[in-house]
Amino acid sequence: MLIVFLSFSIIGCSTMNRDLDRESSELKYLKIHEMMTNSKRKRVDAPQWQMRNEGEIAPGYKIRLYEPSDPSLAGVFQVNEKGKLRLPYEVELFVEGLQQEELITVLNKRFRKFLRRPNFDATIEEKEVFVNLKGLVEKPGTYLIPKDTSLDEILMNAGGLQNATDPKSRARYVRITQLGAPRLVNLQDYFSGEPGIMPIWQGGETLFFQSEGSDTIAAERDYIHVLGEVLSPGAYPFSSRMDVLSYLTDAGGPTDRADLSRMTLLSRNQDGLMQSRIDFDDVGSLPTIQPGDTLIVHSSNPTELERGSGVAASLAAVLSSIGLIAIGL
């Protein structure tokens, strides 16, 4: 009787321990998921977009001119995508960024060679703006839009994003150059409804849709590789504002087979390839990510080969080295 009781007690304790382990694992997963969410919120703070000064002329604006001595100079003229006004007498003026009074001064000065006493009046009649779409869209080109047009509407005008057969060739980012300053926007952040992530159009913007996250601000070799049990393994652009959780989020998060207690970071320094374990129980000890690092999410049920010889980590190191060579490090 005692033996039976002890047997049931042992089985009960074993079952309870498994339940506690499973509960602990689930709590850890939820904790990491919450950390990833918070990291993503922090990372996608609205970019600091450029703004024109109040009253400045922009590409796309329609300007009503009036000069009493010459009817050909009375009418509505549009500022082209390069910021210029094309006028009678084969006159072409760069007017982008001018205020109304400055435009009048420039007009009077320029037309002195054609008119005895030019006396222009100029007012801004319409404030739609030109933007230029390039890259992975069906119909690249220049489009005239209201300033508050959404990116969805702009893409609709351009026939949408190119639907490449290979998912890696589809547009995932848009590089927006506004008033000379480029900013990179993750399209996933935009389509997920992140507020304030897109600018108010100022006129003359270039929107370049691309599959990779590199841009003219950062060197193309500055990538982080996320491998193993993540939904979208691959190379992701390095940013000093991002941490382990940010890259895990960019890679789609862990799969069902991921063991979040077995994550490895491979880094290269003067001594060679260094390997460190990531411990989410101590957030303060999370390693700092450097350009060229490789983040590996291991499986919760590795194969016999992986368990016996650690081949998974070695293979990942090889893949990392190949990747580093491929991108020129």
Side-chain angles (χ1 to χ4, degrees), residues 183-199:
R183 298 285 187 274
L184 196 68
V185 174
N186 188 323
L187 290 174
Q188 182 179 350
D189 293 337
Y190 169 74
F191 290 120
S192 66
E194 289 288 343
I197 203 167
M198 299 301 293

Side-chain angles (χ1 to χ4, degrees), residues 248-269:
L248 193 58
T249 303
D250 264 13
T255 68
D256 293 339
R257 297 181 67 241
D259 183 353
L260 297 176
S261 65
R262 297 180 63 247
M263 294 178 60
T264 304
L265 183 69
L266 299 177
S267 305
R268 183 178 293 277
N269 59 23

Side-chain angles (χ1 to χ4, degrees), residues 58-242:
Y61 277 20
K62 290 182 179 178
I63 312 294
R64 180 171 289 279
L65 300 181
Y66 177 71
E67 207 295 317
S69 67
D70 190 336
S72 71
L73 294 171
V76 177
F77 300 86
Q78 187 167 40
V79 183
N80 67 19
E81 64 271 17
K82 295 181 180 179
K84 296 181 178 181
L85 272 180
R86 291 179 178 175
L87 302 171
Y89 300 94
E90 297 183 354
V91 170
E92 188 174 74
L93 298 174
F94 183 79
V95 300
E96 179 181 350
L98 296 182
Q99 299 282 346
Q100 180 178 324
E101 292 303 319
E102 292 173 327
L103 173 61
I104 291 173
T105 300
V106 168
L107 287 166
N108 287 332
K109 183 177 180 179
R110 183 63 181 271
F111 277 87
R112 282 174 187 165
K113 63 183 296 186
F114 306 110
L115 305 175
R116 187 173 181 180
R117 290 182 179 178
N119 184 23
F120 276 91
D121 184 38
T123 56
I124 299 173
E125 184 147 301
E126 293 185 22
K127 292 185 177 182
E128 291 189 326
V129 295
F130 282 122
V131 296
N132 188 14
L133 272 63
K134 297 181 178 181
L136 301 176
V137 291
E138 291 292 342
K139 299 175 183 177
T142 301
Y143 294 88
L144 183 66
I145 60 170
K147 286 187 175 183
D148 59 353
T149 303
S150 69
L151 184 62
D152 305 66
E153 294 172 295
I154 296 175
L155 285 171
M156 190 179 301
N157 291 336
L161 297 171
Q162 291 181 7
N163 188 19
T165 304
D166 182 1
K168 293 182 179 179
S169 300
R170 296 174 185 170
R172 296 173 54 221
Y173 299 88
V174 57
R175 186 175 73 240
I176 300 174
T177 303
Q178 184 179 61
L179 301 180
R183 298 285 187 274
L184 196 68
V185 174
N186 188 323
L187 290 174
Q188 182 179 350
D189 293 337
Y190 169 74
F191 290 120
S192 66
E194 289 288 343
I197 203 167
M198 299 301 293
I200 297 173
W201 308 114
Q202 302 297 301
E205 285 90 352
T206 297
L207 285 69
F208 189 88
F209 293 86
Q210 56 194 65
S211 58
E212 297 294 339
S214 61
D215 62 11
T216 57
I217 302 172
E220 288 188 0
R221 68 178 187 170
D222 288 350
Y223 283 89
I224 303 301
H225 297 266
V226 186
L227 305 177
E229 293 298 333
V230 291
L231 295 175
S232 300
Y236 294 87
F238 170 78
S239 170
S240 58
R241 295 184 302 153
M242 295 174 64

Side-chain angles (χ1 to χ4, degrees), residues 256-300:
D256 293 339
R257 297 181 67 241
D259 183 353
L260 297 176
S261 65
R262 297 180 63 247
M263 294 178 60
T264 304
L265 183 69
L266 299 177
S267 305
R268 183 178 293 277
N269 59 23
Q270 63 271 20
D271 298 323
L273 201 63
M274 305 296 292
Q275 177 175 319
S276 56
R277 180 178 175 275
I278 295 172
D279 183 6
F280 284 110
D281 289 331
D282 184 5
V283 180
S285 70
L286 291 179
T288 301
I289 301 293
Q290 300 296 333
D293 284 358
T294 298
L295 178 64
I296 306 166
V297 182
H298 297 284
S299 173
S300 59

